[in-house]
């Protein structure tokens, strides 16, 4: 047996299985042919120990707290400070040169307006509808307006399709917000950068022009960069799974948005702020943590814990720092930040959280920053979707570019054995 093989002994049979190794040394045992050779499948509920694909996009080391996009540490990308360049990096594989930057920005500008007929869709949602539901519906509807959605056309048209999505999701998000508060829609402007444009569409009004503060543009870029991809998480897996059935790109992204809306995934950022408010009402961090640790109580400490990170989430570290800087530079005093700091300190010194390697994740401080920017709580997860879009597109693109078969896991059936209905129906 070679070094690149593992041996599985099963029912007296020795089955050699290939070992593959990633760029950063992580190893995996290939089991694709196992059922054919032995009749056995592997069982791994919730994919706790299963790599579903090879990918060149994002590297996460959960033990060391490392996150890199296309090899570049997120800490460096935050210093560059441009979400648009990060989006380009994820989708295309390298940071853009000057010419590529110019033409990508021009494409984003060109596709920033949504089809005028789509504007009326916003009128049909009930007041109070969650913007994530509106967003996933609107993105799905794009396939009807831009019908070149079959795989071949999209593959040829990928520059335009990705620019359209990245640009339009921002317009749609701002429109959904304006509709929800009953204010006139603000159109995108070509003279503004991606984040400045978004802020202007969100907050400008005919009676109170919005002043775009460079610090706000900077921190928004940082937040979007830090959320732009995170390898095979729940929503990205949804995107890759749908994509494997050759579902059109828009429907695929819409499914990603739906997956992200769950409170255990992207919906956590909204839940975290709600939780801080509850703790403020309860008046005691200690009492709240006792409730969270009580197994008969389904309540979790939102914004804590991660499937992959068993140490500090590097995104949480950066956002915490940025959050402090932004609030002090903008002279904002948010009592929820004090609660967050108190909760973090108490949890990091509590045996329950320490022994389970539970640390703050990306969502723990992001909501405080969004609040400071003026973004309402029900838009927090929309902000996450907007940021994650380049990552989803990159994964979809990578997947259709490889020889991927339709995703179709096996199961272990545990229901009734064959039985018949003995009743006489006649
Ligand atoms: N609060 C209290 N206990 C927790 C928490 C938490 N936030 N997270 C995990 N635990 C406990 C579990 O109860 C379990 O305890 P046990 O071993 O005594 O049964 C143990 O830690 C392991 O937890 P699992 O649920 O098995 O861990 P998993 O990897 O499946 O879950 C998840 C990860 C979903 C993120 C979880 O930590 C959680 O629910 N966190 C709160 C929600 C949240 O912040 N989600 C955002 C994640 S980041 C993102 O998606 C962008």
């Amino acid at each position: 047996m070679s070094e690149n093989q593992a041996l599985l002994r099963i029912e007296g049979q020795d089955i050699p299985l290939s070992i593959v190794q990633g760029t950063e040394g992580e190893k995996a045992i290939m089991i694709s042919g196992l059922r054919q050779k032995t009749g056995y499948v592997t069982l791994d509920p919730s994919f706790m120990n299963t790599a579903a694909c090879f990918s060149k996009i994002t590297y996460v080391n959960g033990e060391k707290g490392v996150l890199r996009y296309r090899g570049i540490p997120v800490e460096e990308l935050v210093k560059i400070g441009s979400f648009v360049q990060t989006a380009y990096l994820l989708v295309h594989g390298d940071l853009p040169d000057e010419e590529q930057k110019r033409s990508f920005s021009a494409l984003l500008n060109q596709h920033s307006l949504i089809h005028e007929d789509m504007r009326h869709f916003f009128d049909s949602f009930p007041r109070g509808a969650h913007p994530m539901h509106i967003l996933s519906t609107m993105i799905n509807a794009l396939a009807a307006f831009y019908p070149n959605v079959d795989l071949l056309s999209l593959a040829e048209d990928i520059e335009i399709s990705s620019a359209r999505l990245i640009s339009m999701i921002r317009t749609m998000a701002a429109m959904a917000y304006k509709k929800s508060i009953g204010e006139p829609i603000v159109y995108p402007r070509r003279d503004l950068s991606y984040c400045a444009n978004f802020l202007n569409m969100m907050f400008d009004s005919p009676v109170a022009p919005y002043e775009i503060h460079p610090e706000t543009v900077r921190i928004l870029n940082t937040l979007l960069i830090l959320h732009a991809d995170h390898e095979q998480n729940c929503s990205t897996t949804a995107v890759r799974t749908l994509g494997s059935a050759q579902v059109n790109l828009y429907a695929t992204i819409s499914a990603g948005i739906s997956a992200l809306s769950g409170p255990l995934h992207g919906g956590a950022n909204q839940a975290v702020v709600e939780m801080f408010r509850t703790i403020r009402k309860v008046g005691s961090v200690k009492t709240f943590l006792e409730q969270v640790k009580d197994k008969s109580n389904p309540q979790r400490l939102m914004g804590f814990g991660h499937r992959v990170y068993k140490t500090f989430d590097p995104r949480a570290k950066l956002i915490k720092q940025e959050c402090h800087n932004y609030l002090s530079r903008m002279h904002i005093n948010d009592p929820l930040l004090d609660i967050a700091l108190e909760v973090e300190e108490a949890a990091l010194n509590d045996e329950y959280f320490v022994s389970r390697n539970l640390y703050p994740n990306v969502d723990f401080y992001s909501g405080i920053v969004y609040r400071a920017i003026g973004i309402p709580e029900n838009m927090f997860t929309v902000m996450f979707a907007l940021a994650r879009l380049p990552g989803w597109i990159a994964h979809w693109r990578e997947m259709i570019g490889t020889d991927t078969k339709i995703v179709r896991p096996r199961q272990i059936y545990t229901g009734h054995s064959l039985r018949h209905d003995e009743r006489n129906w006649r």
Side-chain angles (χ1 to χ4, degrees), residues 40-281:
Y40 281 76
V41 294
T42 54
L43 179 63
D44 183 22
S46 307
F47 304 132
M48 303 283 285
N49 197 58
T50 294
C53 61
F54 293 97
S55 181
K56 293 181 165 56
I57 301 169
T58 289
Y59 174 64
V60 178
N61 184 320
E63 279 72 38
K64 295 189 180 147
V66 172
L67 174 59
R68 297 179 203 143
Y69 302 155
R70 303 283 189 184
I72 305 179
V74 285
E75 291 80 359
E76 283 178 32
L77 292 167
V78 163
K79 279 191 196 135
I80 297 172
S82 162
F83 172 64
V84 168
Q85 289 187 48
T86 303
Y88 188 98
L89 169 74
L90 284 164
V91 175
H92 296 277
D94 290 300
L95 281 167
D97 58 27
E98 281 307 313
E99 181 44 39
Q100 288 162 332
K101 212 160 69 181
R102 248 194 312 276
S103 67
F104 191 52
S105 294
L107 265 184
L108 291 179
N109 265 332
Q110 200 183 327
H111 295 281
S112 58
L113 276 174
I114 67 167
H115 195 291
E116 220 21 45
D117 290 349
M118 284 190 91
R119 267 190 46 196
H120 306 301
F121 289 13
F122 287 100
D123 299 331
S124 311
F125 290 100
R127 241 175 199 281
H130 196 287
M132 278 299 267
H133 302 150
I134 299 178
L135 192 66
S136 63
T137 310
M138 295 299 286
I139 294 285
N140 204 356
L142 280 175
F145 285 84
Y146 302 96
N148 258 8
V149 291
D150 64 276
L151 212 54
L152 205 64
S153 318
L154 269 176
E156 284 168 5
D157 198 26
I158 190 72
E159 299 272 334
I160 292 174
S161 309
S162 33
R164 180 183 292 141
L165 270 167
I166 292 170
S167 196
M168 277 188 188
I169 197 171
R170 170 191 58 171
T171 311
M172 285 176 179
M175 278 186 175
Y177 171 61
K178 284 293 193 192
K179 271 282 160 194
S180 74
I181 57 167
E183 278 193 10
I185 277 163
V186 177
Y187 284 98
R189 274 173 40 190
R190 292 196 169 186
D191 59 320
L192 294 178
S193 69
Y194 187 91
C195 285
N197 222 332
F198 173 73
L199 290 166
N200 191 59
M201 282 192 275
M202 284 285 289
F203 302 123
D204 191 45
S205 108
V207 289
Y210 178 67
E211 197 186 317
I212 304 166
H213 199 292
E215 283 294 331
T216 308
V217 173
R218 200 187 64 77
I219 195 144
L220 185 57
N221 268 293
T222 300
L223 283 176
L224 299 189
I225 291 167
L226 291 175
H227 286 83
D229 193 42
H230 211 246
E231 49 117 310
Q232 312 305 321
N233 54 80
C234 178
S235 53
T236 304
T237 300
V239 165
R240 289 188 88 119
T241 303
L242 260 81
S244 79
Q246 302 193 354
V247 171
N248 77 68
L249 177 62
Y250 304 113
T252 302
I253 298 295
S254 164
I257 294 172
S258 299
L260 190 73
S261 69
L264 294 190
H265 192 11
N269 56 11
Q270 183 177 345
V272 168
V273 169
E274 284 159 10
M275 178 186 79
F276 290 152
R277 210 175 290 112
T278 308
I279 296 174
R280 204 161 170 236
K281 260 193 226 137

